[in-house]
Amino acid sequence: MPDNQNPQQPTPPPPPPTKSGQQAPAPAPELSPAHVPMSEEFDRAKWTLPPIVPVAIAAAVVAVILAVVSFTNRQKPVMSGAITKVVSADQTGNTMVAVQVKINNVVDRQLWVKNIAAELETADGKKFTDQAAPSGDVKRYLEAFPALAEAKADPLHEELKIPPKTGYTGVAIFSYPVDQNAFAGRKSITLHIQLYDQPTLVLKNP
């Protein structure tokens, strides 16, 4: 009879008993380098959280850089000025107001006025805003209300061009729906001179 072509492999003998009569424990399985035990991945914070000191230092460095960039890139004033005179005249319940102002172009390029407005705040905290009268009406208002002539000057108007390093004294006319007593007791009047592509010049008079 031919030999068995698929002989069974001999069964390895059991591990020798220990001195206490128990079998020795099986050797620990070897781990693949690509395998990370779940207990190490989630049980210990050192595998998931970065060190706090380097993170704090990096955040401080970023904050300093942002502050320096913001300071160096901020827009510098291109115009200065002041309200030099404010006079008013009664207009049947309304009040006509002439605001004379001196402004200075402090840069080496021409500036253009885009818009002119003034806000009145009365003693009771109410606020009223009006746009400056057109330049063509300024002379007519000064003649119609002699009290306004005290602030007479060239019109301060839209599209006014102010050459580099020069000053300009002008007057703007406004109208508010309050009587003269309310205007006289006002908290303030604030003039906003908006320029093309430049910050708005804000001038306040108590």
Side-chain angles (χ1 to χ4, degrees):
M1 189 172 180
D3 294 335
N4 186 359
Q5 295 181 355
N6 297 310
Q8 293 184 350
Q9 297 293 331
T11 303
T18 60
K19 291 182 179 180
S20 61
Q22 297 180 351
Q23 291 185 348
E30 295 184 1
L31 298 178
S32 168
H35 175 73
V36 178
M38 296 295 289
S39 61
E40 290 193 7
E41 183 174 354
F42 294 102
D43 289 350
R44 289 182 289 177
K46 72 176 184 178
W47 296 108
T48 56
L49 298 177
I52 187 61
V53 174
V55 172
I57 294 175
V61 170
V62 171
V64 171
I65 293 174
L66 291 177
V68 171
V69 171
S70 176
F71 179 80
T72 55
N73 291 340
R74 68 179 182 176
Q75 287 184 307
K76 296 180 180 179
V78 297
M79 181 179 287
S80 64
I83 295 175
T84 52
K85 196 169 292 186
V86 177
V87 294
S88 63
D90 180 65
Q91 189 194 23
T92 316
N94 289 350
T95 299
M96 300 291 296
V97 180
V99 179
Q100 186 189 93
V101 61
K102 174 69 187 308
I103 53 179
N104 298 288
N105 181 348
V106 298
V107 293
D108 293 321
R109 60 182 180 275
Q110 180 174 265
L111 299 176
W112 288 11
V113 175
K114 182 179 182 181
N115 184 60
I116 305 162
E119 180 184 78
L120 168 69
E121 183 176 5
T122 57
D124 56 4
K126 293 182 180 179
K127 295 182 179 181
F128 304 90
T129 301
D130 189 32
Q131 301 292 316
S135 59
D137 293 339
V138 171
K139 183 178 179 180
R140 179 169 61 86
Y141 283 128
L142 294 176
E143 292 176 349
F145 299 94
L148 301 182
E150 186 180 344
K152 185 177 181 179
D154 293 331
L156 179 66
H157 58 86
E158 297 178 0
E159 307 303 325
L160 175 66
K161 299 177 182 179
I162 306 175
K165 299 289 186 178
T166 60
Y168 183 86
T169 299
V171 62
I173 306 294
F174 304 94
S175 177
Y176 296 103
V178 298
D179 58 32
Q180 275 207 289
N181 289 333
F183 181 79
R186 66 187 181 277
K187 284 186 177 180
S188 64
I189 186 166
T190 305
L191 187 66
H192 299 263
I193 303 176
Q194 184 180 3
L195 305 173
Y196 283 100
D197 303 321
Q198 299 295 337
T200 298
L201 178 63
V202 180
L203 305 174
K204 191 171 185 178
N205 180 270

